[in-house]
Amino acid sequence: MRTAADRPRHPEADQAELAYRIGCDAAVLHLECTYADVPEPLCHELVRWFSAAVRRLREPALPLDDLRELADEWRRRRAAYFSDHDWAEIRLVPPLDRPRPSIWWRLRRGREPAPPRP
């Protein structure tokens, strides 16, 4: 299981970061559903919800209130399956000014959003 020892307690997150975090949870659940002998029914339900949430977050900018509602629902749903609650403790902010990810960044980090410009 992932630990958050090296991450700030309540990092600021925008829509891109929220999509990344929910996508990470979806990937873990998808593997769990695929390789578990008898996956829990909750696992399948969460995979569907997390995947739909990521698709919604990949669309153009959502209002901050909608992001907060989505993040609250994500925290509530993931609490039933994940024990690393620090991963979901984020403070939502308006979109951060991020550079476009380079090819190197995408090869090394996948869909992880590039850090904001200083």
Side-chain angles (χ1 to χ4, degrees):
M1 176 128 335
R2 171 181 353 91
T3 62
D6 59 337
R7 297 183 184 267
R9 175 117 175 97
H10 298 287
E12 292 184 338
D14 60 355
Q15 185 170 336
E17 178 72 20
L18 183 60
Y20 171 70
R21 287 173 180 253
I22 294 175
C24 287
D25 283 352
V28 169
L29 287 171
H30 187 71
L31 285 173
E32 186 72 24
C33 288
T34 302
Y35 293 112
D37 291 334
V38 181
E40 298 178 32
L42 173 65
C43 185
H44 292 292
E45 177 189 332
L46 287 175
V47 166
R48 284 191 297 272
W49 189 90
F50 285 8
S51 298
V54 170
R55 278 192 305 276
R56 184 173 176 209
L57 289 167
R58 297 272 184 232
E59 294 174 0
L62 295 171
L64 203 52
D65 291 336
D66 289 352
L67 290 178
R68 285 189 182 114
E69 288 175 15
L70 190 65
D72 289 341
E73 181 70 14
W74 168 56
R75 284 186 201 103
R76 187 184 65 74
R77 286 179 181 261
R78 82 181 300 279
Y81 201 85
F82 290 93
S83 62
D84 59 340
H85 302 294
D86 283 348
W87 180 249
E89 290 301 320
I90 56 175
R91 188 170 64 84
L92 290 165
V93 297
L96 299 170
D97 181 26
R98 297 179 187 273
R100 184 182 171 112
S102 65
I103 292 173
W104 177 87
W105 181 270
R106 285 183 283 166
L107 288 172
R108 298 277 299 178
R109 307 268 181 148
R111 288 190 159 259
E112 181 179 345
R117 289 190 173 116

